[in-house]
């Protein structure tokens, strides 16, 4: 089966495309199929650095892990990293190539990227038995179809069959399936083979009459009904789309080993990036992670994390406006733990000189760490390895800011002063021994009788989660039919559903 393929599209953003793609990859690799993920264009602030130093979406890195292959830039050739509601940094083949407005990107630049994106897909198809592609948003965004390089545009060019995923938990999934299909041109519709229902709760037999009627209306079958699965905690593609206050990161349901739990508050800064850094904390029994945006929510926290952000200066202003800056200063003065990661680390420093990201010039930081940061045009993309707290640590770096550390105790690439830590390294808490040592320090400083579990393996937990995704596909989807699609393409003679694209 050399060069087989499938595009997993969705009725909406967050319909489940990323996890379904990962689940199909894990199911296929367990069948002995050499498979790779692909997403031509991704918009996300959660990114990852490959071994060759390329920046790609974390969702594609997770899907590569599901496929048991090393992630590369080929799997996500275009990454858009929003800097505001109207502009994004464009990352091409893992390297930043400029900042563009939405109008500038969709007005011409996006179409210029079509051939490079298609070339990456074809290269992957020459290397693997199957490539499982993920779409973006909805294929029925008719205002963007002319310049599309990630949904039906790539499906048409590569002759990929398409399965559309819908989130039934939100309601209206039948209208979404029908409307998505009916808003596509006849040529696009000819590739839409059918549907996958995601996040279903209850008795599937109650759903079946609706699936039969949908088949009658569209001539397309439903390839599976995936049940709602709790606690997957898989890397999210986009920033959390909530007023983050009170949002709790999913964690394992296990009691603490010690007498106390450990409460972690994550400041929900604007343009928050790589908030997946705290997943490893949430995986620890007895650690409760929540996102906060008010100073009073820091009072009972044992650790406050200031996470990465695509806008450090904007995040600083937000922290000050919300009263969180003063709350962080009080914590530092009281010797209560604070951890800054990447942009959060920069914000904790004394001064920022930024003529690149915000173009704000010299801005005072929070002054909690003896660090001065100057933003450079070149982006640091690295996979460092080091040691801290007596333990080996691996991480990855994605930042324009260059930090000059003027004092404190060494901590990875950053420093520590009392109970305030700062580093540019994302992913460091996924190193099990280091995470346990760090949590012991936090518990001691916070006066909590918390004991880290001695055997929690974040890597093993992630593998279990990916296997659960593979199980969902294997147990609740028509895998024989999916395999035929991947091998042979969309079936001939799929009927046209009017009115079609205008």
């Amino acid at each position: 089966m050399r060069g087989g393929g499938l595009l997993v599209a969705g009725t909406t953003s967050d319909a489940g495309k990323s996890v379904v793609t990962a689940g199909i990859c894990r199911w296929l690799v367990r069948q002995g199929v050499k498979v790779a993920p692909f997403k031509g264009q991704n918009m996300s602030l959660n990114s990852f650095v490959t071994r060759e130093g390329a920046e790609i979406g974390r969702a594609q890195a997770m899907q590569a892990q599901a496929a048991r292959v090393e992630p590369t830039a080929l799997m996500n050739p275009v990454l858009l990293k929003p800097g505001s509601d109207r502009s994004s940094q464009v990352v091409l083949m893992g390297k930043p190539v400029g900042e563009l407005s939405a109008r500038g990107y969709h007005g011409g630049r996006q179409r210029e990227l079509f051939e490079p994106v298609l070339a990456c897909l074809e290269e992957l198809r020459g290397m693997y038995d199957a490539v499982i592609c993920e779409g973006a948003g909805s294929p029925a965004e008719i205002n963007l179809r002319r310049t599309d390089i990630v949904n039906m545009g790539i499906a048409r060019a590569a002759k990929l069959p398409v399965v559309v995923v819908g989130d039934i938990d939100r309601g209206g999934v039948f209208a979404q399936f029908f409307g998505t299909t009916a808003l596509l041109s006849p040529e696009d519709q000819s590739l839409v083979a059918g549907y996958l229902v995601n996040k279903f709760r209850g008795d599937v037999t109650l759903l079946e009459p609706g699936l039969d009627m949908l088949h009658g209306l569209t001539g397309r079958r439903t390839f599976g009904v995936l049940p709602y699965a709790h606690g997957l905690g898989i890397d999210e593609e986009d920033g959390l789309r909530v007023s983050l206050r009170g949002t709790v990161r999913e964690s394992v349901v296990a009691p603490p080993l010690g007498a106390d739990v450990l409460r972690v508050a994550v400041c929900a800064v604007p343009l928050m990036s790589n908030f997946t850094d705290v997943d490893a904390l949430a995986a620890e029994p007895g650690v409760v992670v929540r996102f906060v945006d008010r100073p009073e929510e820091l009072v009972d926290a044992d650790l406050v994390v200031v996470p990465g952000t695509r806008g450090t200066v904007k995040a600083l202003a937000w922290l000050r406006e919300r009263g969180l800056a003063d709350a962080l200063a009080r914590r530092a003065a009281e010797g209560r733990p604070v951890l800054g990661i990447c942009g959060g680390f920069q914000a904790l420093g004394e001064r920022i000189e930024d003529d690149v990201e915000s173009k704000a010039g010299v801005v005072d930081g929070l002054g909690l760490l003896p660090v001065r940061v100057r933003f450079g045009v070149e982006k640091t993309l690295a996979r460092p390895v080091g040691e801290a707290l007596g333990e080996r640590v691996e991480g990855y770096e994605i930042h324009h800011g260059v930090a000059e550390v003027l004092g404190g105790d060494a901590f990875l690439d950053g420093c520590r002063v009392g109970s305030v830590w700062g580093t540019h390294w994302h992913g460091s808490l996924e190193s099990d021994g280091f995470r346990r040592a760090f949590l012991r320090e936090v518990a001691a400083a916070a006066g909590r009788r918390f004991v880290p579990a001695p055997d929690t393996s974040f890597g093993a937990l992630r593998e279990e989660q990916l296997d659960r995704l593979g199980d969902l596909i294997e147990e609740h989807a028509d895998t024989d039919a999916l395999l035929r699609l991947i091998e042979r393409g969309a079936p001939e003679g799929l009927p046209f559903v009017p009115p079609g694209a205008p």
Side-chain angles (χ1 to χ4, degrees):
M1 183 214 304
R2 178 63 66 178
L6 176 70
L7 176 70
V8 178
T11 57
T12 62
S13 294
D14 203 32
K17 298 182 294 290
S18 295
V19 293
V20 167
T21 299
I24 293 174
C25 285
R26 179 49 60 101
W27 159 66
L28 283 172
V29 78
R30 294 195 309 206
Q31 310 309 308
V33 177
K34 187 180 178 185
V35 59
F38 177 80
K39 184 161 186 171
Q41 171 198 295
N42 195 351
M43 178 175 280
S44 179
L45 287 171
N46 285 333
S47 58
F48 180 77
V49 179
T50 67
R51 294 208 180 276
E52 72 267 32
E55 185 180 8
I56 66 172
R58 268 201 73 105
Q60 278 61 66
M62 174 270 290
Q63 291 161 355
Q65 185 177 352
R68 296 178 179 150
V69 296
E70 189 67 32
T72 74
L74 290 172
M75 297 171 184
N76 180 206
V78 179
L79 174 64
L80 305 178
K81 301 194 73 176
S84 70
D85 290 341
R86 293 175 176 264
S87 68
S88 294
Q89 183 181 68
V90 180
V91 179
L92 176 62
M93 292 303 294
K95 305 295 180 184
V97 295
E99 196 92 11
L100 278 180
S101 68
R103 179 174 292 277
Y105 183 70
H106 291 289
R109 179 61 170 154
Q110 184 182 34
R111 194 65 193 175
E112 294 174 12
L113 298 173
F114 184 78
E115 291 303 325
V117 166
L118 185 59
C120 289
L121 174 57
E122 291 308 313
E123 186 171 345
L124 285 174
R125 294 181 81 177
M127 297 164 58
Y128 291 91
D129 299 332
V131 179
I132 307 304
C133 306
E134 180 187 345
S138 162
E141 290 165 351
I142 54 179
N143 56 315
L144 302 177
R145 176 62 184 90
R146 183 180 58 85
T147 57
D148 171 48
I149 65 172
V150 65
N151 289 308
M152 301 312 300
I154 202 75
R156 284 265 294 276
K159 297 181 173 58
L160 293 172
V162 178
V163 171
V164 181
V165 178
D167 179 357
I168 197 170
D169 196 50
R170 296 179 173 188
V173 76
F174 293 117
Q176 292 170 20
F177 284 145
F178 182 87
T180 297
T181 308
L183 278 176
L184 301 179
S185 69
E187 294 82 4
D188 286 353
Q189 285 193 27
S190 69
L191 295 172
V192 177
Y195 315 108
L196 261 174
V197 176
N198 191 31
K199 295 186 182 179
F200 180 73
R201 307 173 192 251
D203 184 350
V204 73
T205 61
L206 298 177
L207 187 66
E208 287 170 352
L211 300 178
D212 291 339
M213 285 185 273
L214 181 67
H215 183 271
L217 289 166
T218 66
R220 289 159 175 84
R221 57 165 301 182
T222 299
F223 288 93
V225 178
L226 308 182
Y228 195 104
H230 292 277
L232 285 172
I234 293 295
D235 292 354
E236 310 208 31
E237 178 168 291
D238 303 311
L240 289 173
R241 295 173 322 282
V242 285
S243 70
L244 290 143
R245 187 167 60 80
T247 300
V248 178
R249 200 76 178 139
E250 286 185 286
S251 57
V252 293
V253 181
L257 267 68
D260 292 336
V261 299
L262 208 63
R263 296 172 177 84
V264 179
V266 184
C267 295
V269 296
L271 300 173
M272 182 166 50
S273 61
N274 287 63
F275 58 81
T276 48
D277 280 331
V278 300
D279 283 352
L281 295 178
E284 283 285 348
V287 175
V288 179
V289 178
R290 68 185 189 273
F291 291 87
V292 303
D293 61 4
R294 298 192 306 202
E296 57 267 31
E297 294 173 302
L298 271 56
V299 173
D300 68 343
D302 303 307
L303 169 67
V304 174
V305 177
V306 187
T309 171
R310 173 83 164 85
T312 302
V313 170
K314 183 179 289 189
L316 266 170
W318 182 87
L319 289 168
R320 290 182 166 119
E321 290 165 4
R322 295 283 179 132
L324 288 161
D326 290 339
L328 288 167
R330 286 193 297 272
R331 286 187 67 89
E334 295 165 359
R336 302 176 67 201
V338 176
L339 170 64
I341 302 174
C342 200
F345 164 47
Q346 297 167 4
L348 297 180
E350 297 173 352
R351 189 182 74 187
I352 294 170
E353 184 180 339
D354 181 11
D355 295 317
V356 176
E357 191 174 76
S358 68
K359 298 181 172 58
V362 177
V363 177
D364 288 336
L366 298 183
L368 304 186
L369 290 174
V371 174
R372 294 181 180 178
V373 176
R374 178 183 54 80
F375 275 70
V377 175
E378 296 298 318
K379 180 184 280 192
T380 298
L381 297 169
R383 290 278 293 270
V385 178
E387 184 175 303
L389 305 180
E391 299 286 346
R392 186 176 186 273
V393 189
E394 295 184 33
Y396 57 99
E397 296 183 62
I398 306 169
H399 53 92
H400 283 278
V402 179
E404 180 185 7
V405 178
L406 302 172
D409 298 321
F411 178 69
L412 300 176
D413 71 319
C415 64
R416 170 187 181 178
V417 174
S419 290
V420 180
W421 293 265
T423 177
H424 275 126
W425 290 21
H426 295 290
S428 62
L429 294 167
E430 295 179 17
S431 297
D432 297 326
F434 167 71
R435 182 180 64 255
R436 287 192 278 270
F438 177 71
L439 288 176
R440 283 192 289 269
E441 293 259 349
V442 168
R448 294 289 185 189
R449 293 173 297 168
F450 170 84
V451 179
D455 55 356
T456 300
S457 167
F458 183 76
L461 287 171
R462 176 51 52 90
E463 278 296 304
E464 289 175 14
Q465 291 167 333
L466 294 172
D467 274 330
R468 286 180 63 195
L469 290 180
D471 292 343
L472 286 173
I473 297 299
E474 187 169 342
E475 296 168 10
H476 300 281
D478 186 339
T479 52
D480 289 339
L482 287 177
L483 197 57
R484 285 194 297 273
L485 281 182
I486 293 167
E487 290 178 333
R488 305 174 193 173
E492 298 288 336
L494 290 168
F496 172 67
V497 180

